[in-house]
PDB file of all heavy atoms in Angstrom:
ATOM      1  N   ARG B   1      92.361 141.881 146.085  1.00 98.00           N
ATOM      2  CA  ARG B   1      92.397 142.123 144.649  1.00 98.00           C
ATOM      3  C   ARG B   1      93.848 142.130 144.214  1.00 98.00           C
ATOM      4  O   ARG B   1      94.698 142.755 144.854  1.00 98.00           O
ATOM      5  CB  ARG B   1      91.725 143.441 144.290  1.00 98.00           C
ATOM      6  CG  ARG B   1      90.195 143.368 144.370  1.00 98.00           C
ATOM      7  CD  ARG B   1      89.598 144.549 143.714  1.00 98.00           C
ATOM      8  NE  ARG B   1      90.366 145.665 144.201  1.00 98.00           N
ATOM      9  CZ  ARG B   1      90.251 146.937 143.930  1.00 98.00           C
ATOM     10  NH1 ARG B   1      89.546 147.278 143.253  1.00 98.00           N
ATOM     11  NH2 ARG B   1      90.935 147.884 144.410  1.00 98.00           N
ATOM     12  N   PHE B   2      94.129 141.468 143.110  1.00 98.00           N
ATOM     13  CA  PHE B   2      95.512 141.377 142.656  1.00 98.00           C
ATOM     14  C   PHE B   2      95.589 141.458 141.143  1.00 98.00           C
ATOM     15  O   PHE B   2      94.597 141.218 140.434  1.00 98.00           O
ATOM     16  CB  PHE B   2      96.161 140.083 143.152  1.00 98.00           C
ATOM     17  CG  PHE B   2      95.558 138.826 142.599  1.00 98.00           C
ATOM     18  CD1 PHE B   2      96.082 138.215 141.464  1.00 98.00           C
ATOM     19  CD2 PHE B   2      94.453 138.229 143.209  1.00 98.00           C
ATOM     20  CE1 PHE B   2      95.531 137.059 140.946  1.00 98.00           C
ATOM     21  CE2 PHE B   2      93.891 137.057 142.703  1.00 98.00           C
ATOM     22  CZ  PHE B   2      94.432 136.481 141.573  1.00 98.00           C
ATOM     23  N   ALA B   3      96.770 141.836 140.663  1.00 97.00           N
ATOM     24  CA  ALA B   3      97.010 141.956 139.222  1.00 97.00           C
ATOM     25  C   ALA B   3      97.921 140.826 138.762  1.00 97.00           C
ATOM     26  O   ALA B   3      98.910 140.497 139.422  1.00 97.00           O
ATOM     27  CB  ALA B   3      97.639 143.305 138.905  1.00 97.00           C
ATOM     28  N   ARG B   4      97.562 140.236 137.608  1.00 95.00           N
ATOM     29  CA  ARG B   4      98.394 139.183 137.023  1.00 95.00           C
ATOM     30  C   ARG B   4      98.238 139.214 135.514  1.00 95.00           C
ATOM     31  O   ARG B   4      97.109 139.249 134.998  1.00 95.00           O
ATOM     32  CB  ARG B   4      98.009 137.816 137.575  1.00 95.00           C
ATOM     33  CG  ARG B   4      98.833 136.671 136.993  1.00 95.00           C
ATOM     34  CD  ARG B   4      98.651 135.382 137.752  1.00 95.00           C
ATOM     35  NE  ARG B   4      97.248 135.012 137.896  1.00 95.00           N
ATOM     36  CZ  ARG B   4      96.825 134.026 138.686  1.00 95.00           C
ATOM     37  NH1 ARG B   4      97.700 133.374 139.440  1.00 95.00           N
ATOM     38  NH2 ARG B   4      95.542 133.729 138.739  1.00 95.00           N
ATOM     39  N   ASP B   5      99.360 139.253 134.827  1.00 92.00           N
ATOM     40  CA  ASP B   5      99.336 139.307 133.361  1.00 92.00           C
ATOM     41  C   ASP B   5      98.534 140.485 132.832  1.00 92.00           C
ATOM     42  O   ASP B   5      97.799 140.376 131.827  1.00 92.00           O
ATOM     43  CB  ASP B   5      98.757 138.001 132.800  1.00 92.00           C
ATOM     44  CG  ASP B   5      99.613 136.806 133.142  1.00 92.00           C
ATOM     45  OD1 ASP B   5     100.833 136.963 133.238  1.00 92.00           O
ATOM     46  OD2 ASP B   5      99.052 135.721 133.342  1.00 92.00           O
ATOM     47  N   GLY B   6      98.633 141.609 133.559  1.00 89.00           N
ATOM     48  CA  GLY B   6      97.987 142.824 133.100  1.00 89.00           C
ATOM     49  C   GLY B   6      96.505 142.906 133.396  1.00 89.00           C
ATOM     50  O   GLY B   6      95.856 143.884 133.013  1.00 89.00           O
ATOM     51  N   GLU B   7      95.961 141.893 134.046  1.00 95.00           N
ATOM     52  CA  GLU B   7      94.541 141.901 134.375  1.00 95.00           C
ATOM     53  C   GLU B   7      94.349 141.752 135.882  1.00 95.00           C
ATOM     54  O   GLU B   7      95.180 141.172 136.571  1.00 95.00           O
ATOM     55  CB  GLU B   7      93.817 140.758 133.659  1.00 95.00           C
ATOM     56  CG  GLU B   7      93.865 140.874 132.132  1.00 95.00           C
ATOM     57  CD  GLU B   7      93.072 139.767 131.469  1.00 95.00           C
ATOM     58  OE1 GLU B   7      92.537 138.900 132.197  1.00 95.00           O
ATOM     59  OE2 GLU B   7      93.001 139.767 130.225  1.00 95.00           O
ATOM     60  N   GLU B   8      93.244 142.289 136.390  1.00 96.00           N
ATOM     61  CA  GLU B   8      92.941 142.180 137.810  1.00 96.00           C
ATOM     62  C   GLU B   8      92.050 140.978 138.077  1.00 96.00           C
ATOM     63  O   GLU B   8      91.220 140.597 137.258  1.00 96.00           O
ATOM     64  CB  GLU B   8      92.263 143.458 138.332  1.00 96.00           C
ATOM     65  CG  GLU B   8      93.232 144.570 138.634  1.00 96.00           C
ATOM     66  CD  GLU B   8      92.642 145.628 139.567  1.00 96.00           C
ATOM     67  OE1 GLU B   8      91.568 145.370 140.165  1.00 96.00           O
ATOM     68  OE2 GLU B   8      93.264 146.696 139.696  1.00 96.00           O
ATOM     69  N   ASP B   9      92.252 140.393 139.243  1.00 97.00           N
ATOM     70  CA  ASP B   9      91.443 139.265 139.668  1.00 97.00           C
ATOM     71  C   ASP B   9      91.192 139.417 141.165  1.00 97.00           C
ATOM     72  O   ASP B   9      91.730 140.343 141.804  1.00 97.00           O
ATOM     73  CB  ASP B   9      92.144 137.941 139.349  1.00 97.00           C
ATOM     74  CG  ASP B   9      91.171 136.777 139.229  1.00 97.00           C
ATOM     75  OD1 ASP B   9      90.020 136.915 139.699  1.00 97.00           O
ATOM     76  OD2 ASP B   9      91.561 135.735 138.689  1.00 97.00           O
ATOM     77  N   PHE B  10      90.422 138.522 141.742  1.00 98.00           N
ATOM     78  CA  PHE B  10      90.081 138.633 143.170  1.00 98.00           C
ATOM     79  C   PHE B  10      90.271 137.287 143.846  1.00 98.00           C
ATOM     80  O   PHE B  10      89.844 136.242 143.317  1.00 98.00           O
ATOM     81  CB  PHE B  10      88.622 139.081 143.322  1.00 98.00           C
ATOM     82  CG  PHE B  10      88.216 139.328 144.752  1.00 98.00           C
ATOM     83  CD1 PHE B  10      88.601 140.490 145.409  1.00 98.00           C
ATOM     84  CD2 PHE B  10      87.455 138.396 145.441  1.00 98.00           C
ATOM     85  CE1 PHE B  10      88.226 140.711 146.735  1.00 98.00           C
ATOM     86  CE2 PHE B  10      87.081 138.607 146.760  1.00 98.00           C
ATOM     87  CZ  PHE B  10      87.464 139.767 147.407  1.00 98.00           C
ATOM     88  N   PHE B  11      90.935 137.321 145.014  1.00 98.00           N
ATOM     89  CA  PHE B  11      91.122 136.104 145.796  1.00 98.00           C
ATOM     90  C   PHE B  11      90.304 136.225 147.077  1.00 98.00           C
ATOM     91  O   PHE B  11      90.603 137.081 147.930  1.00 98.00           O
ATOM     92  CB  PHE B  11      92.595 135.882 146.138  1.00 98.00           C
ATOM     93  CG  PHE B  11      92.838 134.659 146.973  1.00 98.00           C
ATOM     94  CD1 PHE B  11      92.792 133.403 146.394  1.00 98.00           C
ATOM     95  CD2 PHE B  11      93.083 134.757 148.334  1.00 98.00           C
ATOM     96  CE1 PHE B  11      92.986 132.257 147.162  1.00 98.00           C
ATOM     97  CE2 PHE B  11      93.278 133.626 149.108  1.00 98.00           C
ATOM     98  CZ  PHE B  11      93.231 132.366 148.521  1.00 98.00           C
ATOM     99  N   PRO B  12      89.270 135.415 147.262  1.00 98.00           N
ATOM    100  CA  PRO B  12      88.447 135.530 148.464  1.00 98.00           C
ATOM    101  C   PRO B  12      89.121 134.896 149.682  1.00 98.00           C
ATOM    102  O   PRO B  12      89.681 133.796 149.597  1.00 98.00           O
ATOM    103  CB  PRO B  12      87.185 134.758 148.081  1.00 98.00           C
ATOM    104  CG  PRO B  12      87.646 133.751 147.078  1.00 98.00           C
ATOM    105  CD  PRO B  12      88.765 134.405 146.320  1.00 98.00           C
ATOM    106  N   CYS B  13      89.091 135.595 150.798  1.00 98.00           N
ATOM    107  CA  CYS B  13      89.620 135.074 152.056  1.00 98.00           C
ATOM    108  C   CYS B  13      89.056 135.907 153.198  1.00 98.00           C
ATOM    109  O   CYS B  13      88.602 137.033 152.984  1.00 98.00           O
ATOM    110  CB  CYS B  13      91.142 135.087 152.075  1.00 98.00           C
ATOM    111  SG  CYS B  13      91.874 136.720 151.898  1.00 98.00           S
ATOM    112  N   GLU B  14      89.109 135.345 154.393  1.00 98.00           N
ATOM    113  CA  GLU B  14      88.584 136.049 155.558  1.00 98.00           C
ATOM    114  C   GLU B  14      89.612 136.970 156.193  1.00 98.00           C
ATOM    115  O   GLU B  14      89.263 137.987 156.793  1.00 98.00           O
ATOM    116  CB  GLU B  14      88.075 135.037 156.583  1.00 98.00           C
ATOM    117  CG  GLU B  14      86.878 134.236 156.104  1.00 98.00           C
ATOM    118  CD  GLU B  14      86.525 133.119 157.049  1.00 98.00           C
ATOM    119  OE1 GLU B  14      86.133 133.405 158.199  1.00 98.00           O
ATOM    120  OE2 GLU B  14      86.662 131.940 156.647  1.00 98.00           O
ATOM    121  N   SER B  15      90.903 136.596 156.097  1.00 98.00           N
ATOM    122  CA  SER B  15      91.954 137.397 156.722  1.00 98.00           C
ATOM    123  C   SER B  15      93.160 137.488 155.811  1.00 98.00           C
ATOM    124  O   SER B  15      93.376 136.640 154.932  1.00 98.00           O
ATOM    125  CB  SER B  15      92.376 136.786 158.067  1.00 98.00           C
ATOM    126  OG  SER B  15      91.303 136.781 158.979  1.00 98.00           O
ATOM    127  N   VAL B  16      93.955 138.532 156.048  1.00 98.00           N
ATOM    128  CA  VAL B  16      95.182 138.765 155.288  1.00 98.00           C
ATOM    129  C   VAL B  16      96.305 139.077 156.275  1.00 98.00           C
ATOM    130  O   VAL B  16      96.103 139.830 157.234  1.00 98.00           O
ATOM    131  CB  VAL B  16      95.013 139.949 154.310  1.00 98.00           C
ATOM    132  CG1 VAL B  16      96.324 140.235 153.580  1.00 98.00           C
ATOM    133  CG2 VAL B  16      93.891 139.671 153.319  1.00 98.00           C
ATOM    134  N   ILE B  17      97.472 138.493 156.050  1.00 98.00           N
ATOM    135  CA  ILE B  17      98.657 138.848 156.832  1.00 98.00           C
ATOM    136  C   ILE B  17      99.745 139.294 155.864  1.00 98.00           C
ATOM    137  O   ILE B  17     100.131 138.547 154.960  1.00 98.00           O
ATOM    138  CB  ILE B  17      99.162 137.689 157.707  1.00 98.00           C
ATOM    139  CG1 ILE B  17      98.112 137.347 158.771  1.00 98.00           C
ATOM    140  CG2 ILE B  17     100.493 138.051 158.365  1.00 98.00           C
ATOM    141  CD1 ILE B  17      98.522 136.229 159.713  1.00 98.00           C
ATOM    142  N   VAL B  18     100.231 140.522 156.050  1.00 98.00           N
ATOM    143  CA  VAL B  18     101.276 141.084 155.199  1.00 98.00           C
ATOM    144  C   VAL B  18     102.634 140.716 155.777  1.00 98.00           C
ATOM    145  O   VAL B  18     102.940 141.030 156.935  1.00 98.00           O
ATOM    146  CB  VAL B  18     101.126 142.613 155.106  1.00 98.00           C
ATOM    147  CG1 VAL B  18     102.256 143.210 154.261  1.00 98.00           C
ATOM    148  CG2 VAL B  18      99.765 142.980 154.516  1.00 98.00           C
ATOM    149  N   ALA B  19     103.451 140.050 154.966  1.00 96.00           N
ATOM    150  CA  ALA B  19     104.765 139.579 155.426  1.00 96.00           C
ATOM    151  C   ALA B  19     105.820 139.945 154.398  1.00 96.00           C
ATOM    152  O   ALA B  19     106.385 139.083 153.720  1.00 96.00           O
ATOM    153  CB  ALA B  19     104.738 138.068 155.643  1.00 96.00           C
ATOM    154  N   VAL B  20     106.086 141.240 154.256  1.00 94.00           N
ATOM    155  CA  VAL B  20     107.005 141.687 153.207  1.00 94.00           C
ATOM    156  C   VAL B  20     108.308 142.267 153.738  1.00 94.00           C
ATOM    157  O   VAL B  20     109.207 142.525 152.964  1.00 94.00           O
ATOM    158  CB  VAL B  20     106.332 142.712 152.278  1.00 94.00           C
ATOM    159  CG1 VAL B  20     105.214 142.062 151.493  1.00 94.00           C
ATOM    160  CG2 VAL B  20     105.807 143.906 153.057  1.00 94.00           C
ATOM    161  N   SER B  21     108.439 142.479 155.034  1.00 85.00           N
ATOM    162  CA  SER B  21     109.688 142.974 155.622  1.00 85.00           C
ATOM    163  C   SER B  21     109.354 143.769 156.860  1.00 85.00           C
ATOM    164  O   SER B  21     108.184 144.014 157.169  1.00 85.00           O
ATOM    165  CB  SER B  21     110.483 143.853 154.650  1.00 85.00           C
ATOM    166  OG  SER B  21     111.754 144.142 155.196  1.00 85.00           O
ATOM    167  N   GLN B  22     110.401 144.152 157.590  1.00 83.00           N
ATOM    168  CA  GLN B  22     110.213 145.032 158.729  1.00 83.00           C
ATOM    169  C   GLN B  22     111.457 145.874 158.944  1.00 83.00           C
ATOM    170  O   GLN B  22     112.538 145.530 158.473  1.00 83.00           O
ATOM    171  CB  GLN B  22     109.863 144.254 160.003  1.00 83.00           C
ATOM    172  CG  GLN B  22     110.829 143.196 160.413  1.00 83.00           C
ATOM    173  CD  GLN B  22     110.480 141.817 159.898  1.00 83.00           C
ATOM    174  OE1 GLN B  22     109.428 141.599 159.299  1.00 83.00           O
ATOM    175  NE2 GLN B  22     111.373 140.866 160.114  1.00 83.00           N
ATOM    176  N   GLY B  23     111.272 146.989 159.644  1.00 80.00           N
ATOM    177  CA  GLY B  23     112.378 147.887 159.934  1.00 80.00           C
ATOM    178  C   GLY B  23     112.431 148.180 161.425  1.00 80.00           C
ATOM    179  O   GLY B  23     111.630 147.676 162.208  1.00 80.00           O
ATOM    180  N   PRO B  24     113.396 148.995 161.853  1.00 76.00           N
ATOM    181  CA  PRO B  24     113.540 149.299 163.280  1.00 76.00           C
ATOM    182  C   PRO B  24     112.536 150.336 163.750  1.00 76.00           C
ATOM    183  O   PRO B  24     112.071 151.163 162.974  1.00 76.00           O
ATOM    184  CB  PRO B  24     114.967 149.848 163.366  1.00 76.00           C
ATOM    185  CG  PRO B  24     115.206 150.455 162.028  1.00 76.00           C
ATOM    186  CD  PRO B  24     114.440 149.620 161.040  1.00 76.00           C
ATOM    187  N   ARG B  25     112.183 150.248 165.027  1.00 70.00           N
ATOM    188  CA  ARG B  25     111.396 151.312 165.645  1.00 70.00           C
ATOM    189  C   ARG B  25     112.368 152.413 166.068  1.00 70.00           C
ATOM    190  O   ARG B  25     113.391 152.140 166.692  1.00 70.00           O
ATOM    191  CB  ARG B  25     110.646 150.788 166.870  1.00 70.00           C
ATOM    192  CG  ARG B  25     109.659 149.677 166.548  1.00 70.00           C
ATOM    193  CD  ARG B  25     108.784 149.380 167.747  1.00 70.00           C
ATOM    194  NE  ARG B  25     107.956 148.197 167.536  1.00 70.00           N
ATOM    195  CZ  ARG B  25     106.800 148.189 166.883  1.00 70.00           C
ATOM    196  NH1 ARG B  25     106.352 149.300 166.350  1.00 70.00           N
ATOM    197  NH2 ARG B  25     106.105 147.080 166.739  1.00 70.00           N
TER     198      ARG B  25
END
């Protein structure tokens, strides 16, 4: 589920990979 132009919409998919950054352990 995502927001665009102030409204919510839905993108169908089987899998999601989050790739927004990483930090140290």
